[in-house]
Amino acid sequence: MEKAKEIQSKLDSLQQEMHAKVEACDVKYSKEKNAIFAARRAVIAELIAKKEMPANFWALALIALLQMKDRESTTTPHFLGPYDEELLKTYLEDIEVLYTEKGHRITLRFKPNPFFEETELWAQASEIMNHEAGEEDEMPPAEESWGFSGVTWKDGHGPQLDEDEEEEEDGAPGKKRPHPSSGGLDASASSLTQGPSVLEVFSEMPPHPEEDEEMDEEDDDAVADAIEEWEEEMADRKMLLRMVELFVHYNPVSALRDAGAATTGVSNGEEATAKKAKVE
């Protein structure tokens, strides 16, 4: 039995070494992408200055992806709001993803605009080690922690609610917004300056309910509901930010092309359906 334990210990040690080397390799090559991405941004800026590329190139790539996702599903958690497309096309200047030893940071840069105070909106992911893991674990598991810049919406702009609406909302973090096609948006959301926004993904998140002292006096059911809503909201944000990182930023030209192809496919399908209906 002792020999078996000794062999298993060697296997565990090798497995841990493998995990460490894979992680180090991933960090190394992710960080090396930073210089290439910076060079690409310089080329894009030069092409924009020469008017060989649209000034709102990054906005077009982001909008194209979000529109494609909206068409694919009526439950997309962070959809384009009634004014987002115009906001992004007019004021978004750049998208950057910067990789570090501990994670990465996604930044959207804007011109000064009438919608919100910030000129940079960011979300930062950092890996932290969970030292509370049991001894049987091969190595302490890493947990992903996110921080957000927050969005300071100006008066009369953004996802602000009227007083009557605020009374109806319970204010719980992670409360899902209705999708535009669901008919759940009220009249104020159809304006050109107010309503839900995809940029809410950068709004500050409250602490996890288990770490929130204000939840200490709540009953177990209320805490459980708050935890579920918080975790759903965080999962939705991660999904959207992952799309920005891996599709829009990594290959914006492909994002535009794929979205264009999807739009053409939808249009052709609708046209074929219409022709079939006429024949019948």
Side-chain angles (χ1 to χ4, degrees):
M1 181 63 73
E2 289 301 321
K3 286 187 176 181
K5 288 182 178 180
E6 184 178 338
I7 292 173
Q8 186 61 49
S9 178
K10 289 181 179 179
L11 287 171
D12 292 343
S13 178
L14 184 62
Q15 185 80 349
Q16 185 171 344
E17 182 181 352
M18 182 195 72
H19 282 304
K21 288 185 176 180
V22 168
E23 176 65 22
C25 184
D26 182 61
V27 169
K28 176 181 183 294
Y29 286 102
S30 290
K31 288 176 64 180
E32 288 184 6
K33 293 176 185 176
N34 290 337
I36 300 174
F37 286 142
R40 184 185 65 184
R41 283 201 311 279
V43 170
I44 290 175
E46 182 180 349
L47 292 174
I48 289 175
K50 293 179 179 179
K51 300 188 183 303
E52 296 178 15
M53 185 174 281
N56 54 6
F57 168 77
W58 285 107
L60 295 176
L62 177 58
I63 291 167
L65 178 72
L66 294 175
Q67 288 178 334
M68 182 174 69
K69 293 302 178 183
D70 265 355
R71 286 192 295 270
E72 290 177 354
S73 171
T74 59
T75 58
T76 303
H78 289 280
F79 53 87
L80 283 166
Y83 51 85
D84 277 337
E85 187 171 340
E86 190 63 29
L87 188 166
L88 293 170
K89 284 182 178 179
T90 306
Y91 300 107
L92 178 63
E93 293 186 306
D94 184 31
I95 297 177
E96 179 186 30
V97 176
L98 185 67
Y99 295 96
T100 67
E101 291 283 348
K102 296 296 184 180
H104 63 281
R105 181 184 179 109
I106 300 170
T107 303
L108 271 61
R109 296 190 176 90
F110 294 83
K111 302 173 186 175
N113 65 83
F115 286 88
F116 48 85
E117 299 289 348
E118 294 80 5
T119 54
E120 287 191 2
L121 300 180
W122 54 263
Q124 182 163 317
S126 302
E127 286 194 353
I128 56 176
M129 302 306 293
N130 180 8
H131 296 291
E132 296 180 0
E135 294 181 358
E136 68 277 3
D137 291 330
E138 296 169 0
M139 61 184 301
E143 295 181 351
E144 193 175 53
S145 173
W146 282 86
F148 302 94
S149 61
V151 187
T152 309
W153 296 97
K154 296 180 180 179
D155 288 344
H157 295 76
Q160 300 172 350
L161 299 176
D162 295 332
E163 291 183 4
D164 292 341
E165 292 172 316
E166 287 179 347
E167 291 178 1
E168 294 176 4
E169 293 284 353
D170 60 12
K175 187 172 181 63
K176 291 184 179 295
R177 303 191 305 271
H179 193 278
S181 62
S182 70
L185 296 179
D186 55 33
S188 66
S190 64
S191 74
L192 298 179
T193 60
Q194 285 187 285
S197 172
V198 70
L199 298 179
E200 287 180 78
V201 72
F202 296 103
S203 62
E204 293 182 0
M205 280 285 286
H208 191 283
E210 291 181 337
E211 301 171 359
D212 190 350
E213 294 181 357
E214 294 183 2
M215 297 295 296
D216 289 346
E217 298 181 3
E218 299 290 341
D219 60 41
D220 292 344
D221 289 341
V223 172
D225 289 343
I227 290 174
E228 182 179 1
E229 290 176 349
W230 191 97
E231 292 181 349
E232 284 183 359
E233 169 68 8
M234 184 59 76
D236 290 345
R237 291 191 185 207
K238 287 181 180 180
M239 180 181 70
L240 176 56
L241 291 167
R242 200 70 173 157
M243 288 193 299
V244 173
E245 175 195 359
L246 297 181
F247 294 97
V248 179
H249 180 263
Y250 184 78
N251 194 340
V253 174
S254 177
L256 276 169
R257 183 181 63 243
D258 292 347
T263 301
T264 301
V266 170
S267 299
N268 290 342
E270 291 175 348
E271 184 178 345
T273 301
K275 288 181 178 179
K276 183 178 179 181
K278 287 182 179 180
V279 172
E280 293 175 348

